[in-house]
Amino acid sequence: MSQTYTFTKIFSTPVPHSSESDLVTISKIVVPRIQRPYAQGRNGEAETKIRENFLKEIFKSLKNDSPMDMNFIYGAVKENKENDSAEFVMELLDGQQRFTTLYLLHWYLLNKEDKQDDPAYEPIRYALKSFVYETRTTATKFCKSLSVYVCDLDDEKPSEKINKARWYYRSYDKDSTIAGMLVMLLTHIIKIIELLMPLIKWIIFSSMYCH
């Protein structure tokens, strides 16, 4: 059975585990070590075309005030037995690039609109903290810090703010996943969001669907 989820609802809506009737709630989505680095932020010709087409589709949906079907994400839901209480983690096997771009988009909008401390947006903050990269240790630490990083984006670009943050280590410069995330935040997300900000009205937090 196919079910649709938004970026936040996937962490609060029960999903099938061992069977369709065995429903569990995912506490984390993990990009495992076997996955390649985040590629949508690369500056190659092919990656740039994929990235721009994907972002155009997102903002076309926002402009028309209609949900966007982002197709399947695929992963293995496993029980984490290291904790005393039951915890279920999804290892993301397909959909990493799309989900990571949504992660960056939500983080940017949360800070751009100064909603980091608004109780109404706690599900978004929880979702950001619950998305974990394990491709490299540096990517794991970077995403953990970024998910809770609060900054004013009115005077500087997000990549510039992040580079100056106390938690940003120079070793992060050598991680291609982090470099790709910064490129995405530096150029493409900002360019399109600033163009369409009057139309967005936070639709994105409720209308981007995956299966």
Side-chain angles (χ1 to χ4, degrees):
M1 180 179 66
S2 178
Q3 177 66 47
T4 57
Y5 305 89
T6 65
F7 179 77
T8 56
K9 289 293 182 63
I10 199 168
F11 295 104
S12 60
T13 305
V15 302
H17 181 219
S18 58
S19 67
E20 291 292 341
S21 60
D22 179 22
L23 300 178
V24 300
T25 301
I26 295 172
S27 59
K28 290 181 183 177
I29 291 183
V30 175
V31 179
R33 290 181 177 85
I34 61 170
Q35 288 284 35
R36 62 175 178 157
Y38 177 59
Q40 282 194 355
R42 293 177 183 173
N43 284 318
E45 183 176 347
E47 291 86 355
T48 298
K49 186 175 181 179
I50 291 172
R51 174 175 62 242
E52 290 181 348
N53 287 339
F54 181 58
L55 288 173
K56 284 178 182 177
E57 285 300 310
I58 289 178
F59 290 102
K60 178 182 177 182
S61 175
L62 292 174
K63 187 174 181 179
N64 294 333
D65 194 5
S66 61
M68 175 183 173
D69 190 336
M70 302 185 70
N71 298 316
F72 285 91
I73 62 168
Y74 175 77
V77 178
K78 300 179 179 180
E79 184 176 2
N80 183 2
K81 298 182 178 180
E82 296 179 1
N83 298 331
D84 294 334
S85 58
E87 180 183 67
F88 293 88
V89 175
M90 174 184 276
E91 288 192 354
L92 196 57
L93 303 177
D94 185 30
Q96 166 201 355
Q97 305 296 323
R98 288 165 285 155
F99 208 84
T100 303
T101 298
L102 285 182
Y103 165 87
L104 296 171
L105 193 52
H106 280 75
W107 176 86
Y108 177 82
L109 284 170
L110 204 60
N111 280 277
K112 182 67 175 177
E113 292 295 284
D114 194 24
K115 300 292 184 180
Q116 281 282 16
D117 297 322
D118 190 327
Y121 296 93
E122 175 56 31
I124 299 164
R125 292 190 290 273
Y126 179 82
L128 291 173
K129 290 185 287 187
S130 301
F131 183 50
V132 181
Y133 253 85
E134 290 187 348
T135 52
R136 293 180 67 178
T137 302
T138 44
T140 304
K141 292 180 177 178
F142 173 83
C143 289
K144 183 178 181 180
S145 297
L146 181 65
S147 67
V148 296
Y149 183 45
V150 179
C151 60
D152 182 357
L153 296 177
D154 288 336
D155 56 342
E156 284 185 287
K157 295 177 180 177
S159 56
E160 295 171 351
K161 283 278 189 180
I162 292 168
N163 269 289
K164 294 176 182 178
R166 290 186 177 183
W167 53 266
Y168 188 90
Y169 298 101
R170 296 278 69 88
S171 59
Y172 291 170
D173 293 340
K174 300 178 182 179
D175 189 311
S176 58
T177 288
I178 297 172
M181 289 182 179
L182 293 179
V183 167
M184 180 65 84
L185 286 170
L186 175 64
T187 56
H188 306 281
I189 284 180
I190 293 178
K191 182 178 179 181
I192 301 179
I193 284 183
E194 288 183 347
L195 179 64
L196 294 173
M197 184 61 81
L199 302 171
I200 289 177
K201 298 179 182 177
W202 295 92
I203 299 168
I204 193 165
F205 292 144
S206 62
S207 63
M208 299 292 109
Y209 286 87
C210 297
H211 297 291

